[in-house]
Amino acid sequence: MLFKDNPYSFLTGNDPFVPMELQTISDSNYVSKICFELKHEGFVGIPHGGIGMGLCLDAWRKIGKPDYPVTVNFKFGGSGIRIGDEALFQIERLTTSQSGLDMKITKNGDKKPYLRAEITGNQPLESVPTTLLTDYDNFRALPYYRNCFVCGHARTDPGLQRRFRLHQTDSIVQVTVPWGFNSDDFDRAALFLISKEELHPAALISIFDENTAWAGFMLTKAAGLSVRLEFTLLRPVVRNEKLIFIGEPTGIRGNPAAPRFFTAQGTIFSLNGSNPDPVAFGRGEWIIMQQYTDQIKKNLLPENDWKWVFL
């Protein structure tokens, strides 16, 4: 399998955020060993789902096929992965496509993968009908974690340092987060690139995943882990683009009084031109887990301004 070396990738380049130890490589198969560290954390004790999904997108770009636009179907499973766990990252070409890719991250000792991703190109694009608000200054800032790769505000390692925002009216619930509206973001972008001038798609999928999950949370008031995510990337994003991530809840599965899953959808828009330009969109499903609802109640910051999200 032909991999193009990419020294600029923050994930796997010259100074890798996720070190990888090559095990085997052939024309149709690639296997390497990885280990999840504290700097990869999302919820306390487990890696952020965006890290694993970002590794899949990083490998796709190294292989070079299929080209944009692409749709990626992510599915989480297995027994889960915790910080400190080792896993195998495997890539195979899809048997039904010369350019499609099948990727798996499997924890040592597990038979089922923690994450599986199928990447296909040249597929009909079904955009998510995300509503663009006219007043993005009317919001309430959502709480955040200390060390989360995406929303952590007290990290010692580089992080995306987002603070998500709730917009709620009688007719709509949306969660948004901006990128690139101050110089700090463009300075931060230098830490999360895949080329000299391109923001790594791992940053996009990580922010999208958390932003969209917050939207689903606002429907159920319960925390969940990603089960599946369908994500379409329309084009690359340059490092100095202004972006807005928009997420909306779309429903629940299970008993309405005690749902097992929530669903949500979202779009990433570029705001550099005169009209909003969608660069990615998708939808997902999260399994509600009481242990993580309990965890966020103990760990969300600011300490005196988080209880309102459960009202």
Side-chain angles (χ1 to χ4, degrees):
M1 185 172 292
L2 179 61
F3 267 64
K4 300 175 184 177
D5 183 43
N6 183 5
Y8 300 106
S9 170
F10 93 93
L11 268 186
T12 61
N14 286 345
D15 185 19
F17 194 71
V18 183
M20 308 181 78
E21 183 181 329
L22 180 63
Q23 304 294 296
T24 61
I25 188 168
S26 68
D27 290 341
S28 60
N29 187 270
Y30 168 93
V31 181
S32 63
K33 184 168 66 174
I34 59 176
C35 181
F36 290 101
E37 304 174 24
L38 187 60
K39 63 183 177 181
H40 306 140
E41 191 173 63
F43 281 122
V44 175
I46 64 174
H48 196 285
I51 298 294
M53 291 189 286
L55 282 173
C56 297
L57 296 175
D58 184 271
W60 155 61
R61 292 297 301 278
K62 282 185 175 181
I63 294 169
K65 293 181 180 181
D67 198 0
Y68 287 97
V70 295
T71 295
V72 192
N73 287 290
F74 296 103
K75 185 177 181 179
F76 289 84
S79 65
I81 280 186
R82 298 193 61 80
I83 299 301
D85 285 344
E86 293 186 343
L88 290 179
F89 179 38
Q90 182 178 7
I91 307 168
E92 295 180 342
R93 295 195 185 280
L94 286 171
T95 56
T96 57
S97 170
Q98 292 298 313
S99 59
L101 299 169
D102 184 11
M103 306 187 186
K104 301 174 186 176
I105 298 177
T106 308
K107 184 175 72 174
N108 287 0
D110 274 8
K111 293 183 178 180
K112 293 184 178 180
Y114 152 73
L115 173 63
R116 183 170 188 173
E118 289 189 354
I119 300 181
T120 54
N122 303 317
Q123 299 295 311
L125 300 176
E126 182 185 349
S127 62
V128 171
T130 307
T131 305
L132 271 167
L133 289 177
T134 56
D135 182 9
Y136 282 103
D137 293 326
N138 184 17
F139 64 85
R140 185 162 185 179
L142 288 161
Y144 51 89
Y145 266 65
R146 294 183 184 276
N147 190 55
C148 173
F149 170 65
V150 174
C151 71
H153 279 62
R155 286 171 62 87
T156 56
D157 295 294
L160 295 165
Q161 204 168 330
R162 297 300 86 194
R163 182 126 190 224
F164 300 94
R165 314 178 307 181
L166 174 66
H167 309 258
Q168 189 165 12
T169 67
D170 292 338
S171 59
I172 195 168
V173 173
Q174 286 189 335
V175 174
T176 71
V177 65
W179 173 274
F181 285 79
N182 58 60
S183 59
D184 288 347
D185 279 351
F186 293 145
D187 292 340
R188 186 173 293 109
L191 303 173
F192 301 103
L193 300 178
I194 196 169
S195 71
K196 287 184 178 180
E197 296 299 326
E198 183 186 340
L199 191 65
H200 201 297
L204 300 176
I205 190 67
S206 296
I207 299 172
F208 177 89
D209 174 59
E210 191 160 331
N211 186 73
T212 313
W214 262 119
F217 171 93
M218 298 313 300
L219 191 66
T220 62
K221 310 298 184 180
L225 293 181
S226 302
V227 174
R228 54 177 53 88
L229 194 70
E230 179 187 277
F231 190 60
T232 296
L233 284 155
L234 299 174
R235 64 165 176 83
V237 174
V238 298
R239 63 186 294 176
N240 62 349
E241 282 193 66
K242 294 180 179 179
L243 306 173
I244 186 76
F245 295 71
I246 304 175
E248 299 174 334
T250 55
I252 60 171
R253 287 208 299 119
N255 185 341
R260 292 193 60 205
F261 302 88
F262 62 74
T263 60
Q265 65 186 22
T267 302
I268 308 173
F269 290 96
S270 172
L271 302 181
N272 275 37
S274 57
N275 295 310
D277 173 30
V279 298
F281 58 85
R283 54 176 60 86
E285 182 177 53
W286 289 258
I287 184 169
I288 294 169
M289 300 186 72
Q290 185 62 41
Q291 69 188 86
Y292 292 110
T293 304
D294 295 340
Q295 184 192 102
I296 65 174
K297 290 179 178 180
K298 297 176 182 177
N299 291 279
L300 284 178
L301 298 172
E303 293 181 358
N304 60 350
D305 188 29
W306 59 263
K307 294 181 180 179
W308 64 272
V309 302
F310 292 96
L311 299 178

